[in-house]
Amino acid sequence: MPGAIRSDVQTSPMRRAVLDLLADAGDPVGARDASVGTPGREGGGLSASEVGAALGLHVTTARFHLERLVAAELVATVHRRGAVGRPRKIYVDARSARPGLASQEALHAFTELLTSAWSDAADGLPGDPEGAGERWVRGRREEPAPPPASTPGGWLGKVGMAVDLLDEWGYRPELATSEGGRTVELTLNDCPFLSMARAHPEVVCAIHRGLIRGTMTAVGEEGAEVELRPFVTDRTCSARLTTPATFRRERPARA
């Protein structure tokens, strides 16, 4: 149970040290003590290898302590994409976690979308909040859509466009894949429109589903299946994206 694990943290100097390290990592870039040995990072948080290097631990040992803190709900995880390679698992101090903040453009656009949806309903017209979300994305893109992805890497790159949009709208998506990369599950933590989503999920969640679907269409994945599951937990939603393409592994050429 989280409570029992939390009490265990109090008696573990190493886990207290890990928590202190993550708390420092949440400070603005450059504000950390240089003696720690791990530079501050944009957005806060550290990987298991960075925690291990800072505390003189093997990465496996560092990961063990971090996962115990995750189970105690004192530490949270996010996946962040770098310039190349797979997203990195980053551990952040959950004690000071705050809901994500949407950009000013996203807040303005979302207000317009909500106003339009509720005005239609008040006038007795059939509302289409999902379609409104799709149209908003379509209005932002001028270049023609590229062809659908034919490889797992290409498909993940397309999904990355949706991840970027969700980040702009204030989410902190975590990404996992299945079915050989054909299905991507996005865990959406701390909706920036949480109170409105709880009061009117049929409108707010439909707009977000339309935003994701519109993004996939804009990047050439019109046939992608988009499923949004609101409130998987009290503060978490899940988006599931599946491509209809069948990826085949290329056999290496024989010498």
Side-chain angles (χ1 to χ4, degrees):
M1 297 175 60
I5 301 175
R6 285 196 187 99
S7 64
D8 179 49
V9 171
Q10 304 303 318
T11 61
S12 171
M14 183 54 69
R15 287 176 194 159
R16 289 202 302 272
V18 172
L19 278 174
D20 290 342
L21 185 68
L22 292 178
D24 289 341
D27 291 341
V29 173
R32 299 188 53 209
D33 184 351
S35 65
V36 171
T38 307
R41 57 189 305 121
E42 192 71 36
L46 298 168
S47 67
S49 60
E50 289 169 331
V51 170
L55 299 178
L57 301 173
H58 188 278
V59 63
T60 302
T61 304
R63 188 176 292 111
F64 170 77
H65 288 302
L66 287 163
E67 292 299 334
R68 291 288 290 176
L69 292 169
V70 170
E73 298 179 355
L74 295 171
V75 169
T77 61
V78 296
H79 286 78
R80 293 186 183 143
R81 295 184 301 120
V84 296
R86 299 174 59 186
R88 302 174 67 219
K89 187 174 185 179
I90 300 298
Y91 296 86
V92 297
D93 183 0
R95 296 170 299 176
S96 60
R98 296 175 298 175
L101 298 176
S103 68
Q104 288 299 316
E105 180 188 12
L107 285 171
H108 179 71
F110 197 76
T111 300
E112 289 186 347
L113 291 172
L114 285 174
T115 301
S116 174
W118 281 325
S119 295
D120 288 345
D123 293 339
L125 301 173
D128 183 17
E130 183 171 340
E134 291 189 59
R135 289 190 295 274
W136 183 85
V137 175
R138 190 163 57 243
R140 294 181 72 199
R141 291 186 65 91
E142 298 178 356
E143 62 272 22
S150 58
T151 65
W155 163 243
L156 286 176
K158 299 289 190 73
V159 174
M161 302 289 185
V163 171
D164 289 343
L165 175 68
L166 291 168
D167 183 73
E168 178 184 336
W169 282 68
Y171 287 99
R172 292 173 290 186
E174 297 180 22
L175 181 151
T177 63
S178 60
E179 300 181 37
R182 291 184 60 250
T183 293
V184 178
E185 183 118 6
L186 301 176
T187 301
L188 310 176
N189 300 304
D190 289 325
C191 174
F193 311 99
L194 188 60
S195 59
M196 287 187 286
R198 284 175 174 161
H200 302 281
E202 73 285 353
V203 174
V204 176
C205 297
I207 287 176
H208 285 103
R209 186 166 55 248
L211 290 170
I212 298 172
R213 191 184 303 280
T215 300
M216 299 313 295
T217 297
V219 298
E221 301 295 336
E222 185 174 3
E225 179 182 340
V226 177
E227 176 188 1
L228 182 66
R229 293 181 291 169
F231 301 113
V232 176
T233 70
D234 187 51
R235 304 185 68 88
T236 302
C237 300
S238 173
R240 187 179 176 91
L241 285 66
T242 302
T243 175
T246 301
F247 302 135
R248 293 182 176 84
R249 293 183 179 273
E250 294 185 2
R251 296 182 178 180
R254 293 183 178 180

